[in-house]
Amino acid sequence: MPSRKILYASSLLILPILYVAFYTIHFQGHVIEQWLPRWDRLLLLVTIIGLERLYTYKYAVSQRAVLKRDIIANVVNLYVTGAVAAMIVLPVLVFIPEHFLGRKLVFASSEQLGPFWFQVMVILLVVSFFRYWMHRMQHENEFLWSLHSYHHRVTDLKASNAEVSNPIDFALRNIVIFLVLGIIGFDPFAILITVPATNITATFSHCGGDVKGGVLNYFFVTPEVHRWHHSAKTPEGHKHSCNYGVEFIFWDILFGTYYLPHKDGQTVNPEHIGHPGGLADESNYMKILLAPLGLYRPLPWFKRASRIPAE
Ligand SMILES: [Zn+2]
Ligand SMILES: [Zn+2]
């Protein structure tokens, strides 16, 4: 059937085309940004939802039951987490070097850090290296896992749950490193052009459609690669999970945590997405926010209503 062939071919081409398109779009539309902040991320969300409809995935699981939770998580991590993290982390980053080293961490001028193109390369490598190891620690350290595990309780990858995570977990992996680089004194424009390069692929990694990565599976964190990171069954030979990269996957290849099986020339997908310990998805956002910090207390009336009667 030619239409099926066309659909398959387009499923291979769609990711590279959209990566480039959204990278370009990010720098357009300053007027729209004033009216609708982060409009390009919202457009990205809608586009990925469109891909999920077009390229239907055979193990798809409906996320309708957790829609409210997904909307809250998106609003919090897109609009609030970054600002709050900057307010807390920046004073600490400025205070500690001044107090203990007697000098600012910031360089006198960004030229001291090398030419512009070199700074872009360094930022891309440092950011992806940091995020790989932070993400790996978030699986290995008990407290960090208690924060991160909610992201792994989702039962399918969808555009809607890319941001589902405790905000501290989200900030540690996605925001802190950019603040550190800014404080060190990297060229702000070099940071500005690398942010979308890293974040667009990271967002696409949660596309629930059956889009193919092809050769990109060895360079970027594609949906095919990230699904195995969310597999309910940890692949054999891997300890906590595999494919820890957030935007680039080559660190996993380098450090031996890469996993993407093939059969008859095609990539194989995990049958079940979910918590490796079998915990069900959490639809209560307040629990995701407060429970890892020991601050979650159900309201008294809710406690009474949900109490199981004694036998
Ligand atoms: Zn993870
Ligand atoms: Zn994920």
Side-chain angles (χ1 to χ4, degrees), residues 32-52:
I32 310 173
E33 186 69 28
Q34 286 170 8
W35 291 98
L36 185 61
R38 314 217 64 185
W39 65 279
D40 57 328
R41 282 299 292 270
L42 299 175
L43 185 64
L44 185 56
L45 196 73
V46 173
T47 306
I48 301 177
I49 291 170
L51 292 184
E52 289 168 354

Side-chain angles (χ1 to χ4, degrees), residues 58-111:
K58 66 175 175 177
Y59 299 130
V61 179
S62 169
Q63 300 295 299
R64 204 158 287 175
V66 286
L67 182 66
K68 201 170 91 183
R69 186 273 318 260
D70 288 355
I71 292 171
I72 298 170
N74 270 287
V75 171
V76 171
N77 280 344
L78 277 182
Y79 293 101
V80 185
T81 307
V84 175
M87 259 161 54
I88 297 168
V89 175
L90 285 180
V92 174
L93 284 176
V94 173
F95 170 78
I96 290 179
E98 276 186 348
H99 188 77
F100 291 102
L101 304 174
R103 63 179 290 271
K104 285 192 170 95
L105 200 61
V106 67
F107 281 72
S109 73
S110 86
E111 276 103 71

Side-chain angles (χ1 to χ4, degrees), residues 135 138-139 145 148 151-152 173 226 229-230 241 243-244:
H135 191 188
Q138 288 176 323
H139 281 258
W145 173 243
H148 185 55
H151 182 65
H152 281 269
R173 189 172 56 258
H226 195 58
H229 177 65
H230 278 267
S241 186
N243 304 344
Y244 295 100

